[in-house]
Amino acid sequence: GTLRPDLATAAPAIVVEPSGVRHEGVLVPAGEPLTWPLAGAAAGRLRFAWAAQAPGTATLTVTTAATAPMTNRPIFATLQRTFDAGAGLAYEDLEIATDAPAVLSFVADSPAGIVISDLRIVQPSRRNDAMIVLLLDTTRRDAIGLYGSRRPTTPQIDRIFAGAWKAERAWSLASWTTPSVAALLTGMLPSGQEDESGASVGIAPNVPTLGHDFALAGWSTAHFNANPALNVDNGFHRGFTTFYTPPYEMASMALPGSDMLARLPGWIRAHEGERFLLYLQLIEPHEPYGRPDQPKGVTAFDPDYTGSYRGDESHFDLSFDATLQPRDVEHLRALYDDDVRYGDLLIGQFWDGLDAALRDRATFVFLSDHGEEFLEHGGWKHGPSLYDEVLRVPFLLRPGNARHFP
């Protein structure tokens, strides 16, 4: 299991890394120790993350003191670490063992104090469960190879989820991202998280999330999201100790998912062998359509197109362009499919970068928040309509720890 201290009386605090990753924790004021009484025997890895509240350097001292006779002293007696604020968050991973009650004490030497996040004692194991949710934004069911895509859009997803459980009847509860993901993370209908005008408020205050549920079970939780519409202001950080989303601005919608995934390795390494929930949402293939590693408007899925549409028109103008011709729609769908292919490439790179033990023990879920319409019913994009092209989504589940469905 995982041991965590009762920090209800400590002052809550937030630290944001230079990379924009946000961590919830508690404040350890300068010279005022944060203590963690261990009621009995404890053995494993003492892990936590920390950062100074002000620029410059800070020193953290961790000591242990026995409160009852013991046959084995704690493996470490005193730890001193110096932190450079410009280096981002510091992750600690220390061996600890005590067979009797003891007290851990954390003391900061920094004018503004330090923030400690995700403090725990764990027993890492190849058999510990973990869950990784992979959401590819705006992805139609028929854009996935395992669901019959007409183009080779998802060779990596098809590889990773070969033999996985595949939902044939999965529909999003909303036709656009904010209410859809809010429903996914809370289990509530979108109508339960709207204001008086009927607009989505995101995740309503005081509503527990999937992150809360896993945290209550002792798991670490993290949410990395490439869609800036899901942010702290509308509650999507709630239940997740670690949270990232890009700045809420139109330009962020065009940031490739690789920008978000680059922030992951440190967190994953710091939770090796642990129980954790990791939620990942890539922005691809949300418009503007087209791969970020190709010239705008160019796709190998439609190399002979000679028209003027490049895939970013509706991104800047939400009105339907009446001059659009069937050949243009075909090209825009090709750009969209190529964007799916790019998201699939990123998922494959993420998967291949995980160690074999994590790939084996973690349960992987793949899904989307909604689809996209390409004039099948006279509409464009997503949001206004509730047709299957917008609501029917892929849902794949690859169980971990060698579990198999009958």
Side-chain angles (χ1 to χ4, degrees):
T2 301
L3 290 178
R4 294 183 183 272
D6 181 0
L7 299 174
T9 60
I14 303 298
V15 61
V16 179
E17 296 186 64
S19 65
V21 180
R22 176 185 187 274
H23 301 267
E24 295 183 355
V26 294
L27 177 66
V28 182
E32 298 181 25
L34 171 71
T35 58
W36 178 6
L38 301 176
R45 309 297 304 183
L46 173 66
R47 291 178 173 175
F48 58 95
W50 68 284
Q53 281 284 79
T57 60
T59 300
L60 169 66
T61 303
V62 184
T63 60
T64 60
T67 58
M70 62 178 69
T71 58
N72 296 313
R73 293 183 59 80
I75 286 182
F76 72 88
T78 301
L79 166 75
Q80 286 189 310
R81 289 282 193 266
T82 300
F83 172 82
D84 181 354
L89 203 70
Y91 289 102
E92 304 293 350
D93 184 1
L94 312 166
E95 188 173 3
I96 182 172
T98 177
D99 57 9
V103 174
L104 295 177
S105 179
F106 301 79
V107 180
D109 178 13
S110 173
I114 65 170
V115 176
I116 290 181
S117 177
D118 206 11
L119 179 59
R120 66 226 185 260
I121 296 175
V122 297
Q123 293 78 43
S125 170
R126 295 175 64 92
R127 302 300 299 169
N128 279 338
D129 291 323
M131 177 170 284
I132 298 177
V133 179
L134 299 165
L135 190 148
L136 201 58
D137 207 300
T138 320
T139 301
R140 293 166 56 122
R141 179 181 186 271
D142 64 5
I144 301 298
L146 289 172
Y147 286 97
S149 173
R150 59 179 177 164
R151 293 187 171 109
T153 49
T154 57
Q156 304 304 319
I157 293 171
D158 298 345
R159 167 177 67 99
I160 296 165
F161 290 91
W165 181 79
K166 181 175 73 169
E168 294 293 351
R169 295 183 295 173
W171 282 268
S172 170
L173 289 178
S175 59
W176 57 292
T177 296
T178 301
S180 172
V181 178
L184 172 68
L185 293 180
T186 64
M188 290 185 62
L189 292 173
S191 58
Q193 301 189 84
E194 295 176 344
D195 62 19
E196 294 180 354
S197 71
S200 173
V201 298
I203 295 179
N206 303 317
V207 174
T209 68
L210 188 68
H212 286 114
D213 293 340
F214 278 81
L216 285 173
W219 294 36
S220 293
T221 59
H223 179 156
F224 289 79
N225 201 312
N227 190 326
L230 310 180
N231 50 63
V232 172
D233 290 340
N234 53 15
F236 284 91
H237 67 294
R238 296 183 56 247
F240 295 93
T241 299
T242 299
F243 179 78
Y244 171 78
T245 195
Y248 187 41
E249 54 191 37
M250 184 64 76
S252 296
M253 302 300 289
L255 286 174
S258 56
D259 182 79
M260 180 203 77
L261 292 176
R263 291 161 167 78
L264 280 174
W267 191 92
I268 292 176
R269 285 194 301 270
H271 293 80
E272 182 181 0
E274 290 186 47
R275 294 178 173 90
F276 64 76
L277 167 66
L278 177 58
Y279 177 92
L280 304 175
Q281 182 163 341
L282 281 71
I283 193 67
E284 290 82 10
H286 194 289
E287 45 79 39
Y289 308 133
R291 295 172 63 114
D293 58 353
Q294 295 291 329
K296 180 59 66 176
V298 174
T299 169
F301 287 157
D302 189 15
D304 300 326
Y305 177 73
T306 58
S308 62
Y309 284 86
R310 309 189 317 157
D312 58 359
E313 289 80 12
S314 64
H315 184 58
F316 300 107
D317 181 5
L318 298 181
S319 63
F320 170 64
D321 189 337
T323 67
L324 206 65
Q325 299 298 311
R327 183 65 182 88
D328 301 317
V329 176
E330 182 181 345
H331 182 64
L332 291 173
R333 177 59 196 269
L335 289 170
Y336 168 88
D337 283 346
D338 213 357
D339 221 355
V340 173
R341 175 68 177 249
Y342 181 75
D344 175 78
L345 171 69
L346 296 180
I347 289 175
Q349 291 174 347
F350 168 73
W351 170 268
D352 291 338
L354 300 177
D355 65 70
L358 179 55
R359 290 200 299 264
D360 182 65
R361 70 185 181 89
T363 292
F364 288 82
V365 178
F366 173 81
L367 74 163
S368 184
D369 51 348
H370 56 78
E372 190 84 324
E373 190 178 352
F374 287 88
L375 291 185
E376 288 91 348
H377 306 279
W380 189 250
K381 294 178 56 176
H382 57 272
S385 72
L386 300 176
Y387 292 106
D388 274 1
E389 287 80 4
V390 174
L391 289 185
R392 200 170 186 189
V393 293
F395 189 99
L396 303 167
L397 190 152
R398 184 183 190 276
N401 275 324
R403 296 188 184 96
H404 299 283
F405 289 98

